[in-house]
């Protein structure tokens, strides 16, 4: 068994890269998990609140400060020669610099008014812009590494950034007497300033071309819909909490927040695997190997369904490990969130085809419609079912998002190379196990048997995935 696993790891890029990304993802989550209690002890609740608000705005600004140029890297790699691809990357780096500079000047000129709206100190505006642009360039660099199949470099970069930011932040927090929140902010700014310099030094020496304005037009056609898409996704992710607070109070929102964080554990696994899947899918779609793509997509959906099912079957125990007794009653909501996040994973399959076809104009519309529906469903379901209603709204919303992208890929763009039947075993398996987990919440022994079966099916599918890849080479 061990020899077979070693053989698969050495001969199969997808399995090998997925394992690297999974280990890296959980290592990064481990850093966050272990250091959060430390920061909560050295920072006052008010300090922690300031850093939380500041981090939220950094994430928000990072979406559009550089025009989301990283969103065009995947399709450009497929449709350009290597030399042309490298010159394209250099040209769109310039586009990102221009957009970031224009936005930064505007924000700094009106920093007093803007900081008042954002509920931050005016002195924080420059730090916010540096960190947002650093985050955007970090995404640019890691996307490049993912698309050029360099998982080790991507993981090392991400871990170094996380470790240095954490250690520096803790050191500065401990050394500052008043306004300790500045310690975390200053550390983030210092690290992101280094990231900006590193990424620019890495890409700007690439060979130039005289197609800069043509590249900017191509890039904006792909990236601008992604800005709307990402901002609308923020609305989908946050609306349940806002509406829960409005209708039921902060205590219920806090319980939902814990349930949500447990519900997305399965997404950590599939996010990691998707970093290996995306370049593999684009390469084989270009080769028009539809049979291979369908076989592997079916197995990938099945493996991911097992990951979500495993979390669902172990939900009561995870709640007891991660939260006090007052949160243990959120199991039902957690199960709904798990199922909704599974559809959040599935919609990325047709989205990948839209990227390949360089047709992103429907992405923004699909997400905006879903965001509107999500808000309406929350206002309908939460008064009827309480916190459970927020989970139901998430299930229907992400199911709708998945179906909308399926319509775009199959009906509007056409020739989508993944058959709908490839999803069905995974959907049925995940739905069945989530339902079983709900019905067996008080029957631990039976749940453990189903969990053991799920784990065995998971590894069987992984080995089947790897063996088929070897046979297809």
């Amino acid at each position: 068994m061990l020899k077979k696993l070693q053989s698969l790891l050495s001969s199969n890029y997808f399995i090998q890269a997925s394992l690297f990304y999974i280990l890296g993802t959980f290592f990064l989550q481990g850093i966050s998990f272990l250091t959060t209690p430390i920061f909560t002890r050295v920072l006052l609740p008010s300090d922690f609140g300031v850093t939380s608000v500041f981090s939220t705005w950094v994430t928000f600004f990072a979406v559009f400060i550089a025009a989301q140029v990283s969103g065009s890297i995947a399709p450009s790699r497929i449709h350009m020669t290597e030399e042309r691809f490298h010159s394209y990357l250099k040209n769109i780096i310039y586009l990102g610099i221009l957009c970031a500079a224009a936005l930064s000047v505007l924000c700094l000129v009106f920093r007093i008014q803007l900081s008042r709206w954002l509920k931050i100190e005016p002195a924080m505006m420059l730090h916010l812009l540096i960190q947002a642009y650093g985050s955007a360039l970090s995404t640019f660099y890691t996307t490049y590494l993912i698309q050029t199949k360099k998982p080790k470099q991507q993981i090392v970069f991400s871990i170094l950034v996380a470790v240095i930011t954490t250690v520096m932040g803790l050191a500065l927090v401990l050394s500052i007497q008043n306004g300790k929140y500045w310690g975390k902010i200053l550390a983030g700014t210092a690290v992101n300033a280094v990231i900006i310099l590193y990424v620019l030094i890495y890409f700007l020496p690439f060979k130039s071309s005289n197609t800069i304005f043509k590249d900017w037009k191509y890039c904006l056609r792909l990236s601008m819909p992604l800005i709307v898409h990402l901002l609308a996704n923020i609305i989908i992710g946050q609306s349940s909490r806002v509406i829960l607070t409005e209708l039921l109070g902060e205590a219920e929102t806090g319980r939902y927040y814990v349930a949500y964080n447990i519900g997305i554990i399965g997404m950590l696994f599939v996010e990691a695997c998707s970093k290996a899947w995306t370049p593999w899918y684009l390469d084989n779609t270009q080769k028009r190997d539809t049979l291979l793509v369908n076989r592997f997509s079916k197995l990938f959906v099945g493996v991911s369904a097992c990951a979500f099912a495993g979390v669902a079957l172990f939900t009561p125990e995870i709640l007891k490990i991660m939260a006090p007794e007052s949160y243990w009653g959120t199991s039902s909501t957690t199960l709904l969130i798990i199922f909704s996040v599974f559809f959040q994973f599935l919609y990325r399959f047709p989205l990948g085809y839209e990227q390949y076809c360089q047709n992103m104009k429907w992405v923004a519309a699909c997400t905006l419609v879903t965001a509107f529906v999500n808000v309406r469903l929350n206002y309908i379901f939460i008064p009827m079912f309480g916190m459970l209603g927020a989970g139901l709204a998430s299930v229907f919303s992400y199911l709708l998002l998945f179906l909308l992208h399926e319509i775009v890929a199959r009906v509007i763009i056409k020739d989508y190379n993944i058959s709908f039947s490839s999803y069905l075993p995974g959907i049925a398996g995940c739905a069945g196990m989530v339902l079983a987990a709900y019905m067996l919440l008080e029957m631990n022994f039976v749940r453990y048997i189903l969990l053991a079966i799920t784990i065995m099916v998971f590894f069987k599918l992984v080995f089947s995935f790897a063996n088929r890849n070897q046979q297809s080479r």
Side-chain angles (χ1 to χ4, degrees), residues 63 68 223-236 347-348 351 360 362-368 371 398 401 405:
V63 170
Q68 200 56 225
S223 65
M224 294 307 289
L226 284 175
I227 294 176
V228 180
H229 167 70
L230 292 170
L231 293 176
N233 259 323
I234 292 174
I235 295 173
I236 297 171
Y347 94 83
R348 298 182 184 193
L351 179 62
M360 302 294 285
W362 295 98
V363 171
C366 291
T367 319
L368 284 172
Y398 282 118
L401 186 61
H405 278 285

Side-chain angles (χ1 to χ4, degrees), residues 273-290:
C273 293
S274 292
K275 292 175 182 177
W277 167 264
T278 302
W280 183 94
Y281 169 75
L282 294 174
D283 288 340
N284 284 279
T285 298
Q286 187 182 44
K287 295 174 184 175
R288 301 187 182 278
D289 198 339
T290 302

Side-chain angles (χ1 to χ4, degrees), residues 50 54 120-129 181-182 185:
V50 171
F54 180 82
I120 62 174
E121 298 174 20
M124 291 180 182
M125 185 54 62
L126 179 60
H127 296 273
L128 189 155
L129 294 168
Y181 53 82
W182 273 107
I185 293 172

Side-chain angles (χ1 to χ4, degrees), residues 1 306-315 317 433 436-437 440 443-461:
M1 177 77 170
C306 288
F308 283 101
V311 176
L313 291 165
F314 205 57
T315 289
E317 288 71 25
M433 286 302 180
L440 300 170
M443 301 176 66
N444 296 346
F445 181 71
V446 181
R447 274 193 301 106
Y448 296 158
I449 291 175
L450 288 178
L451 178 61
I453 294 171
T454 300
I455 292 171
M456 287 189 289
V457 172
F458 173 87
F459 282 107
K460 183 179 185 302
L461 290 174

Side-chain angles (χ1 to χ4, degrees), residues 222-325:
L222 296 173
S223 65
M224 294 307 289
L226 284 175
I227 294 176
V228 180
H229 167 70
L230 292 170
L231 293 176
N233 259 323
I234 292 174
I235 295 173
I236 297 171
Q238 298 296 324
S239 63
S240 297
R241 302 175 201 182
V242 174
I243 297 169
L244 273 170
T245 302
E246 177 188 343
L247 298 179
L248 301 180
E250 293 179 349
E252 201 70 358
T253 304
R255 283 159 51 82
Y256 179 81
Y257 179 75
V258 171
Y260 181 85
N261 283 340
I262 293 171
I264 63 172
I265 290 175
M267 199 63 176
L268 298 177
F269 169 82
V270 297
E271 284 274 15
C273 293
S274 292
K275 292 175 182 177
W277 167 264
T278 302
W280 183 94
Y281 169 75
L282 294 174
D283 288 340
N284 284 279
T285 298
Q286 187 182 44
K287 295 174 184 175
R288 301 187 182 278
D289 198 339
T290 302
L291 182 61
L292 185 67
V293 167
N294 269 279
R295 284 177 177 173
F296 279 21
S297 60
K298 186 175 183 178
L299 288 169
F300 185 29
V301 172
V303 168
S304 302
C306 288
F308 283 101
V311 176
L313 291 165
F314 205 57
T315 289
E317 288 71 25
I318 298 173
L319 278 167
K320 290 175 182 178
I321 293 169
M322 298 185 64
E325 190 172 353

Side-chain angles (χ1 to χ4, degrees), residues 316-436:
E317 288 71 25
I318 298 173
L319 278 167
K320 290 175 182 178
I321 293 169
M322 298 185 64
E325 190 172 353
S326 57
Y327 293 89
W328 294 357
T330 61
S331 292
S332 299
T333 301
T334 304
L335 293 175
L336 285 174
I337 293 169
I338 290 169
F339 196 45
S340 72
V341 174
F342 181 66
F343 285 111
Q344 185 183 1
F345 155 69
L346 287 182
Y347 94 83
R348 298 182 184 193
F349 284 92
L351 179 62
Y353 183 70
E354 293 167 53
Q355 278 189 309
Y356 173 78
C357 294
Q358 305 171 89
N359 189 341
M360 302 294 285
K361 60 186 177 183
W362 295 98
V363 171
C366 291
T367 319
L368 284 172
V369 168
T370 303
F372 174 78
V373 170
N374 179 260
V375 171
R376 294 302 304 158
L377 289 178
N378 273 299
Y379 274 115
I380 293 171
F381 289 154
I382 289 175
M384 295 171 62
F385 305 109
M387 181 173 58
L388 201 65
L392 284 169
S394 293
V395 171
F396 286 117
S397 298
Y398 282 118
L399 173 60
L400 173 64
L401 186 61
F402 167 59
L403 293 176
L404 287 174
H405 278 285
E406 281 287 303
I407 291 170
V408 169
R410 296 183 193 282
V411 179
I412 298 176
I413 298 178
K414 300 183 186 304
D415 297 323
Y416 181 35
N417 58 348
I418 297 179
S419 66
F420 195 80
S421 61
S422 296
Y423 305 126
L424 296 180
I427 294 173
C430 186
M433 286 302 180
V434 168
L435 180 60

Side-chain angles (χ1 to χ4, degrees), residues 62 68 70-71 73 133-146 157 195 199:
Q68 200 56 225
S70 59
I73 292 177
Y133 185 51
S135 177
L137 282 187
S138 179
T139 300
F140 187 95
Y141 179 60
T142 55
T143 302
Y144 166 76
L145 293 177
I146 289 167
F157 174 80
I195 289 173
V199 174

